[in-house]
Each structure stands twice: as structure tokens, then as C-alpha cells.
Amino acid sequence: MTEARQACLITFGCQMNEYDSGRLGELLSARGWTLTSDRAAADFIFFNTCSIREKAARRVLNHLEQVRPLKKGKPGLIIAVGGCLAEQEGRTLLERAPWLDLVAGPQHLPEIPEILDRMMAGERAGLSLTGAGHRPAWSRENLSALGGPELPRPPAAAGAARRLTASVTIMQGCDNYCAYCVVPYLRGPEMSRPADDILDEAKALLEAGVADLTLLGQNVNSYGRGLAGAPSFPELLVRVAGLGAPRLRFTTSHPKDFTPELIGLFGSLPALCESLHLPVQSGSDRILKAMGRIYDRESYLRLVADLRRARPDLALSTDVIVGFPGESEADFEATLSLVELVGYDSMFSFKYSDRPRTKAADMPGKLPEEEKGRRLSLLQARQKAVTLAKNAAHAGQTLEVLVERISGRRQGQLTGRARNYKLVHFDGPPELIGRTVPVLITEGWAASLRGRLAEA
Ligand code: 5AD
Ligand code: SF4
């Protein structure tokens, strides 16, 4: 081959998708591809897609339109859609966008490099690898191929910063079937990776200099279910911490699966950071029940209290859906009051969106878009004030900051993350990148903190 083949991977959606794209990039690199962010230069364009809300799905179709003309100048160009929208739409996507060559659900990503070889050798394009409307299943081969340990990479360019933060997928799929959520249909049944694979991957990342490690999955605290001999999730955390992880996090967890042991780790495992994403979805018992969330308002609040007892400085974030079918004004008020009661450090909030095949899609009491919009704005305005107050309350504290990069905001400024996952900007020399330094916080803003280097 004269020239390296170039792949452009574009990712939408959650951290799972980010991880999967990273892994696909590694598998392609191992086969001689180079990665590019320039769509026009690419021989292979891959959209790793999300289907959690209708808006996310629509965005992908716009992108597909945009790359269509590139095929005119480069007939050999291969365009593929992967991820959750691919799983949802399957062949339909090929019909809607006939210039597409390949559609592959999340389970099939590891097969892509070989398929590309075949397509480049002239095999017919227009291939769909999905569950075709059935719930897709993970094969053990693909599950392990989608995880590390990292493949050998070409040596980093001189001066390139080492990777400081990384994730390790510990499980795929989801069995919770929350009434609004399409994920169990698209990512298939829960399947945990063997602990040894996870530990090998974590070890390789830590040896490569990663200082902040996140264990990833749709529902991490049910890790090990159905996998003979697997450690429990708390045991897994202890073992990963034992490899010498300076900072350890996990996401996403379900409130119903918090055991006293896991709560206790927030007080006893120093590597486990004081930040937790704990999706609540609604503050109304009636709506929580309709959503099939298992917990109620009171047990959720009790969990928050227990977690804060274990780690008083725990920074909490959450997900909230407004306008779930049948949500009354009183239900929405209950959400507002829960949000005020908990005092989240940050929040992701969404208007309910109908998703194919979900229970909620068939429920009565759908709310008009404008009403959902009104509730969302109200909720977001309330939360903004809380976030600001929470961030401002850090003023005067000295936080340990892992310095990630030069800040784009101002000359001489660096940006890093505190253990509570908040972004911190402060003045300092670039040599500090990659180090963990104490920063005295002077101000808290809506999305970040500002401080100055403190004496070590
Ligand atoms: N509509 C709106 N938001 C949704 N989420 C999941 N499904 C839907 C839906 N149908 C939100 C939930 C979840 C987050 C990842 O996305 O809050 O926690
Ligand atoms: Fe989107 Fe859910 Fe798929 Fe992640 S798992 S890409 S959030 S639909």
C-alpha cells in the first residue's frame, strides 16, 4: 500500500460511545489506518450515534446529508453508521440514505476493521449488522474485543501530553427497562466483562500514566450479575484501587442498586473520588412508579443522606426528565422540591421524548412540547442558582487539582479537575500539566472554579 488509509470517527452520545469509538480507533490503527478529524481527507467516515432522544437521532441524519457530496470526488469512500441509532434503524437507514455503505449496532463494532478490508477489496456495500428489530445479544468475543487492554500504539509525537484520564468499560447492556428508555432494546442484555480483563486494562492505563480512571457501564452497580465467580462491584472497585489508581470514579449507577458496602466505600476507599452521578429522573412517587425506577422519593433522599454521611463533601450530579406522560403540575413541583432538597452540584435535564418500543411511548397523558419546554426552563433556572451557590461555596478551600491542559480562556492559565470533578482554572506554568497540585479556590462560577496555586 502506498498511502495510509485514513479514518474519521465522529462520536455522539454518552461515554460508552466515546469509549467504543476509542476502541474502534485502536483496532483500525492496528490494521494500518491513521485517524483524522478531516472528513474530506478520509477513506472511511464513521458516525457513532445515539438514539436516547429524538433530537440526537435527527442530528445524525443531518450529518449524513453533509458527507454525501464527498462520495462524488471519492467513489471508494466508505460511510458507516454505528452505535444506537444504527441498532434502532437497521436497514431503514440504508434506504433513507442509500449512499451509506454500512450500518452496525454497538455489538458489531469489533467486526468493522475486517469488513472494511473486504469492502475495499470490492465486496458489495450496503450491509446492515444489527439485531434487526430483535434485542441484540453480546457475543463473548465481541464483548472482549471491545475492551482493552490497549493495543500497542505508534509512539506519541514528541511533546505530546500523556493521557491523564481514561475509562474502562466493565459491562455492556442494560436489563432495567425504565419505561422511557430505549437503551435495553439497543444495547442488549446486561453482560459483565471478566474482572481479570478489566484489571489488565486498568493496569495498562495506569502504567501509561493515567491518573483519573472511570469504570463505565449503563448500570455499573449491578456488575457481576450472571457472571460466575465475578467479584461484586464494591470488590471490583477495591481491586482496581489496589492497582494504584490515584483517582477512581464510576458511572452510571442506579439508585436501587446501592448496597451499604458500596456507600461505605465513599468513606473508606481514598482513591474513590467525592463525585457521584446519581440519576433521579423525577421527584414524584407517582411518576417514579410509572417510570419503573423501583425506588421512591423517600428512599432516594435516604440514600443521599447515607452517602453524605459517608463522604460529607460528595459532589452530586443527576439526570431529570420533565414532562413524562401524565406528569401533573403537582408531580413537577415535587421534582422541583426534591432538587432543592438534595442541592445537586450539577444536573442534566431533558424534555421527555417518545422512543420506539418503550412502555412510555404507549402511555396516555402526553404533554405538549411547549409545556415540557416551560417546565424544563423553570427547572434549569432553579438548578443554575443552586450550582452557582455550590461552586461559590468552594471559595477559601484548597482543592487537589489534576492539571490537564493550557486553558483556552486566558494566557498563562491552566485548567484541571478537582477530585469532585469540577473544572478549575488557575495561573501556572505549562510544566504543571500532568501533575496534581493544591489550588486555593477564590471564586466559583456556573460551570467552573477559579483559584490560585497554593503552597504544597
Ligand atoms: N426522553 C428524555 N430523556 C431521556 N433519558 C433517557 N431516555 C429519555 C427519553 N426517552 C435521559 C435520562 C437518562 C439520560 C441518559 O437520558 O435522564 O438518565
Ligand atoms: Fe445514547 Fe444510550 Fe446509546 Fe449511549 S447507550 S449512545 S446514551 S442511546
Side-chain angles (χ1 to χ4, degrees), residues 28-162:
L28 289 172
S29 303
R31 289 206 177 212
W33 289 80
T34 56
L35 300 179
T36 174
S37 54
D38 179 3
R39 297 173 191 204
D43 305 289
F44 172 52
I45 301 179
F46 177 76
F47 295 99
N48 202 1
T49 61
C50 175
S51 175
I52 194 104
R53 284 167 292 275
E54 200 189 338
K55 212 162 108 191
R58 259 201 320 263
R59 244 171 89 202
V60 176
L61 295 172
N62 292 339
H63 279 267
L64 274 180
E65 277 299 341
Q66 283 166 22
V67 295
R68 180 182 193 174
L70 294 176
K71 273 211 152 170
K72 288 212 181 75
K74 196 187 267 182
L77 172 65
I78 298 174
I79 303 178
V81 173
C84 294
L85 185 72
E87 184 58 48
Q88 181 180 300
E89 299 288 325
R91 291 224 144 262
T92 330
L93 266 181
L94 293 174
E95 283 151 26
R96 268 157 97 177
W99 60 96
L100 247 178
D101 299 287
L102 172 67
V103 176
Q107 291 79 5
H108 292 283
L109 285 199
E111 297 160 34
I112 288 179
E114 200 196 315
I115 291 173
L116 289 181
D117 283 350
R118 297 208 310 260
M119 282 188 172
M120 290 185 112
E123 188 173 295
R124 187 182 64 91
L127 184 63
S128 168
L129 300 174
T130 64
H134 304 291
R135 201 178 180 210
W138 285 94
S139 70
R140 277 273 159 210
E141 286 89 342
N142 281 3
L143 184 74
S144 76
L146 248 194
E150 278 193 299
L151 297 164
R153 284 162 190 257
R162 72 175 205 271

Side-chain angles (χ1 to χ4, degrees), residues 52-53 180 281 319 321 350-353 355:
I52 194 104
R53 284 167 292 275
Y180 50 81
Q281 312 299 0
D319 291 341
I321 297 176
F350 314 99
K351 286 191 279 186
Y352 166 78
S353 160
R355 304 313 292 135

Side-chain angles (χ1 to χ4, degrees), residues 160-184:
R162 72 175 205 271
R163 209 163 144 205
L164 294 170
T165 61
S167 305
V168 177
T169 293
I170 65 166
M171 64 187 318
Q172 291 279 2
C174 178
D175 286 335
N176 283 334
Y177 288 102
C178 299
Y180 50 81
C181 190
V182 77
V183 169

